Amino acid sequence: MNMKRVIIIGTMIVTMSFAGTAWGQSAISPIPTAKWSIVDLDTREGSSDELLDALNQASEVDLYQELYNGKSLRTITEENNGNLDEVIAIQVRQLKEQLDERLASGSISSEQHAAQQAELEELVTQSANTAYNLA
């Protein structure tokens, strides 16, 4: 699983844990378990990843290590002269796409879709400013 998906899934988990009651029990559906390790991450040499570019990170391994060591996306972005607004916009866009897919597949109602989409930017911003110590 690539790091972008890991961050998205992590953000969704945090989002659902903070706002689960606001979205209601029926809005929460199973999320695929992230089964990856640092060995699975590629270095993305010669390819472009918009999230890595916005964070100004050379590889997913570097980003993984920074997150694993307890740094927030804000801290990583600031230390590497990245663009936090762009990082948040990328994550919000990707989560909106996932919500659209869930709506299209029928796993959430249009009311749930609207409620979740309305909170995305605030929750992603909150998550980007929070450090999680994985070590």
Side-chain angles (χ1 to χ4, degrees):
M1 178 176 276
N2 75 30
M3 192 64 190
K4 184 176 5 176
R5 290 201 187 275
V6 171
I7 291 173
I8 290 169
I9 290 171
T11 301
M12 288 180 69
I13 291 169
V14 169
T15 300
M16 288 180 191
S17 68
F18 284 115
T21 56
W23 290 351
Q25 293 287 10
S26 61
I28 300 173
S29 64
I31 297 175
T33 304
K35 295 180 180 176
W36 55 275
S37 69
I38 196 163
V39 175
D40 297 329
L41 300 175
D42 62 47
T43 58
R44 297 239 178 239
E45 291 178 27
S47 66
S48 177
D49 181 296
E50 63 182 339
L51 183 60
L52 291 177
D53 291 344
L55 289 165
N56 206 16
Q57 287 283 294
S59 71
E60 288 181 357
V61 173
D62 294 341
L63 177 57
Y64 172 84
Q65 286 298 331
E66 299 273 354
L67 292 170
Y68 187 81
N69 291 327
K71 292 184 180 179
S72 68
L73 288 176
R74 172 180 288 284
T75 302
I76 294 167
T77 304
E78 289 171 352
E79 288 177 354
N80 295 290
N81 298 317
N83 184 338
L84 185 63
D85 291 335
E86 188 177 344
V87 169
I88 291 170
I90 290 166
Q91 289 188 317
V92 168
R93 186 185 73 243
Q94 291 171 345
L95 287 170
K96 282 182 180 179
E97 289 170 4
Q98 290 180 2
L99 281 174
D100 291 345
E101 290 172 10
R102 292 178 66 201
L103 178 64
S105 72
S107 67
I108 60 173
S109 70
S110 58
E111 293 83 16
Q112 291 167 329
H113 179 269
Q116 292 177 14
Q117 193 166 357
E119 296 177 339
L120 277 180
E121 188 162 349
E122 178 185 343
L123 293 170
V124 169
T125 301
Q126 189 177 47
S127 176
N129 290 310
T130 304
Y132 302 96
N133 193 350
L134 304 175

